[in-house]
Amino acid sequence: MKWMRDMARWMLATMLLAVGLGAHAAQNDYVLGPGDQIRIFVYQNQDLQLDARITESGTISFPLLGVVKLGGLTVSDAEKKIANGLKEGNFLKQPQVSILVMDMKANMVSVLGQVTRPGRFALGAGAGGNKLSEVLAQAGGIVNGGGSDLIVVTGTRDGKAFRKEIDFPRVFAANGSEEDMVLANGDSVYVDRAPMVYIYGEVQRPGAQLLTRDMTLLQALATGGGLTLRGTQRGIRVHRRDPVSGQVQVLTPDMNDKLQNGDVVYVKESLF
């Protein structure tokens, strides 16, 4: 029936409008910067529609207004600035300005290493957030079982090189001992591989295994299925490389000693 077709068209148009408005609202808090490609709309003034790329000095050239500095402003504030310029210049009485960010080049961070989707991501509350946890979420999170808890953030602060290691699980720990740091334009986030230990000899399942936080020798052996009938606790040795000299030390550990990344555990065969 005709009324059903009209109703379907109306519903489709409403959905498309909602999607468009939602996308625009999501960008309102994004801070514009050099390299960003934007599209400017002025309601009922199609001749003022403009595609522009923000220059290194943070400006664009807009009809009637000339050079306008938008760098450093949020999308919402940039819309207000252009609207105020058109109104104060007596060009339009009640200008309604909308800006759509077509290509984000400024305010970007790089996420590398053991994450689901490595790449470059935009900062800003509307674009996904500017906290470390929010940017990692954009990258799909840390690879389960493959990424380290220790995350390295590098960049510049006040013109100086900046590097910080963050014990990420402590951000959400009950005591909140680590801050969910705020990232800045140009930062790089690196997630290293998860630490590993290697067990061989008289164990049920020899090989490499994930080194969990504060894992003891006893826990590592249990994860490997325990000793074989021929294995002996007295014959266990841990080979550990000294981080400074690079030399390998052979240790006789206690079962409750904590293991370190890269440790090689050897379980000897019992002589009796």
Side-chain angles (χ1 to χ4, degrees), residues 199-240:
I199 304 177
Y200 73 109
E202 296 300 326
V203 290
Q204 299 289 346
R205 294 191 297 273
Q209 67 173 255
L210 183 68
L211 177 64
T212 59
R213 187 178 296 267
D214 297 327
M215 176 180 274
T216 64
L217 173 60
L218 180 61
Q219 291 170 329
L221 292 173
T223 305
L227 306 186
T228 66
L229 294 176
R230 296 189 300 272
T232 173
Q233 292 185 14
R234 290 179 296 177
I236 296 177
R237 299 291 182 269
V238 172
H239 298 250
R240 179 174 296 163

Side-chain angles (χ1 to χ4, degrees), residues 20-192:
L21 291 174
H24 176 67
Q27 297 187 52
N28 279 348
D29 293 326
Y30 176 75
V31 179
L32 298 170
D36 285 341
Q37 180 75 31
I38 61 175
R39 178 168 295 170
I40 303 173
F41 303 90
V42 181
Y43 180 64
Q44 291 187 338
N45 286 272
Q46 190 173 357
D47 55 329
L48 293 179
Q49 179 176 322
L50 177 70
D51 284 4
R53 186 172 295 277
I54 298 177
T55 67
E56 288 299 320
S57 59
T59 64
I60 65 165
S61 180
F62 190 77
L64 304 178
L65 300 182
V67 176
V68 181
K69 185 172 178 59
L70 299 182
L73 299 179
T74 64
V75 170
S76 180
D77 288 339
E79 291 170 344
K80 293 175 184 177
K81 184 170 184 176
I82 294 175
N84 289 339
L86 293 172
K87 184 176 180 179
E88 292 170 1
N90 294 319
F91 300 114
L92 297 173
K93 289 184 178 181
Q94 296 294 334
Q96 298 179 39
V97 178
S98 297
I99 295 177
L100 180 63
V101 183
M102 307 298 294
D103 187 16
M104 296 177 180
K105 294 295 185 182
N107 302 299
M108 304 287 286
V109 295
S110 299
V111 184
L112 310 169
Q114 300 301 305
V115 293
T116 304
R117 295 187 299 274
R120 285 172 55 80
F121 300 91
L123 294 175
N130 56 6
K131 291 185 177 180
L132 176 60
S133 62
E134 295 167 332
V135 171
L136 284 175
Q138 291 188 72
I142 298 172
V143 174
N144 186 29
S148 171
D149 290 340
L150 195 64
I151 297 175
V152 178
V153 179
T154 59
T156 57
R157 296 292 188 277
D158 300 322
K160 298 180 180 179
F162 169 85
R163 184 181 189 277
K164 185 174 182 179
E165 293 184 353
I166 298 171
D167 192 350
F168 193 61
R170 294 187 183 276
V171 172
F172 302 100
N175 59 3
S177 57
E178 281 277 11
E179 180 186 4
D180 192 5
M181 74 171 292
V182 175
L183 301 178
N185 180 37
D187 280 352
S188 294
V189 177
Y190 179 69
V191 181
D192 202 353

